[in-house]
Amino acid sequence: KAGVTQTPRYLIKTRGQQVTLSCSPISGHRSVSWYQQTPGQGLQFLFEYFSETQRNKGNFPGRFSGRQFSNSRSEMNVSTLELGDSALYLCASSGTGDQPQHFGDGTRLSIL
Amino acid sequence: QKEVEQNSGPLSVPEGAIASLNCTYSDRGSQSFFWYRQYSGKSPELIMFIYSNGDKEDGRFTAQLNKASQYVSLLIRDSQPSDSATYLCAVSFPGTASKLTFGTGTRLQVTL
C-alpha cells in the first residue's frame, strides 16, 4: 500500500509570493491533516479536511488555506509569503474513527 | 491551552538498555495518545498509539497510559543505535481525532 505522497519535496520562494503544496493520502483514507514544523514552534496543526470539508482548524492566519478534492487529495496554499513561513510542511492521512495518522515525507519550504 | 510536555533531552542510554520516554498533558479530556519517531531530516513515523489506561506492547516498544496522573510513556527495550531519534508525543481530543497536539519531542541517543 502506497504511503502519503507530498509534492514537491523542496520549494524556494521569495517574500510576497504564494505557494501551493499537494498531498495524496493513503488509499482509502478520507481525512487529511496539514502541519507546520519549525525548530522554534515544533509541530503545529494547520487544518484538517474530510470529505472535501474543512473539519478542524488551527491557529494560523487566513493566508494559510486548503482544500480537498473528491478523490481525497488535498492542497494547501499560502499567500503573501513571509520569512517566518519557512518550515517543513507535513501532510498526514487517517481512516475513519480514531485511526492514527500517517505522515508523508513533507515539503520543505524556504522563503528568501 | 492544551499542552503536551516532554523533556527535550538528550536522553542517553547504552545499547541494550531500556529507554524510558515520558510525556505529560494538561487536558483531562484528552482521549488518544500517540508516539512518533522522527529521524533528523525525516518526517514523523508512527510507533505506538494507546487509548486506554494500562500498557500496550508491540515488539520492543511498550506504551503506558495513566489518565489519572495525565502521563503517557514509551519504553524501548534492548535499545539499538538505530533507535537514536527524536520521539514525539501527541494527543488528540474527543471529536478531533485528526487534530494532534504535539510535544516538542525528546531526543534519544543510544550509545555503543
Side-chain angles (χ1 to χ4, degrees):
Chain A
K1 204 177 205 182
V4 178
T5 303
Q6 289 188 248
T7 56
R9 291 293 312 281
Y10 303 93
L11 211 47
I12 299 175
K13 292 286 187 180
T14 57
R15 282 181 297 172
Q17 288 186 310
Q18 73 167 17
V19 66
T20 299
L21 312 181
S22 179
C23 172
S24 293
I26 292 171
S27 178
H29 285 187
R30 294 166 62 190
S31 170
V32 174
S33 296
W34 289 89
Y35 294 84
Q36 181 196 66
Q37 187 174 31
T38 60
Q41 298 297 319
L43 257 166
Q44 293 187 290
F45 174 81
L46 281 154
F47 31 67
E48 180 218 356
Y49 285 86
F50 181 85
S51 292
E52 302 179 65
T53 301
Q54 188 180 88
R55 191 161 66 171
N56 287 291
K57 188 178 187 305
N59 296 321
F60 279 81
R63 300 185 297 107
F64 293 82
S65 62
R67 59 177 176 168
Q68 186 180 36
F69 303 94
S70 59
N71 61 357
S72 294
R73 189 177 70 86
S74 177
E75 288 182 346
M76 188 190 101
N77 184 275
V78 188
S79 63
T80 318
L81 287 165
E82 300 176 359
L83 290 177
D85 296 333
S86 293
L88 179 65
Y89 289 89
L90 291 159
C91 168
S93 75
S94 61
T96 55
D98 273 347
Q99 291 188 34
Q101 294 185 324
H102 296 271
F103 284 86
D105 289 336
T107 294
R108 187 164 296 280
L109 175 63
S110 299
I111 311 302
L112 304 180
Chain B
Q1 183 174 341
K2 301 179 174 76
E3 292 184 348
V4 178
E5 301 285 343
Q6 295 181 256
N7 188 315
S8 61
L11 172 66
S12 185
V13 299
E15 183 178 5
I18 296 175
S20 178
L21 305 157
N22 299 312
C23 170
T24 59
Y25 58 94
S26 62
D27 195 310
R28 285 192 174 275
S30 303
Q31 176 172 302
S32 305
F33 306 85
F34 306 87
W35 284 99
Y36 287 86
R37 177 176 65 196
Q38 187 172 28
Y39 292 112
S40 180
K42 301 294 186 181
S43 65
E45 172 192 8
L46 180 69
I47 297 296
M48 292 285 290
F49 57 95
I50 186 167
Y51 302 145
S52 305
N53 273 331
D55 294 1
K56 179 181 179 183
E57 187 174 319
D58 184 2
R60 297 188 296 113
F61 300 97
T62 298
Q64 299 176 317
L65 175 61
N66 184 321
K67 288 191 175 182
S69 300
Q70 294 178 239
Y71 82 78
V72 56
S73 62
L74 178 71
L75 301 178
I76 306 175
R77 289 181 299 281
D78 188 24
S79 295
Q80 301 297 310
S82 59
D83 295 326
S84 298
T86 295
Y87 289 80
L88 298 162
C89 172
V91 172
S92 70
F93 305 91
T96 61
S98 295
K99 177 182 178 180
L100 297 180
T101 299
F102 281 86
T104 53
T106 297
R107 189 156 64 92
L108 173 66
Q109 292 178 338
V110 180
T111 58
L112 296 172

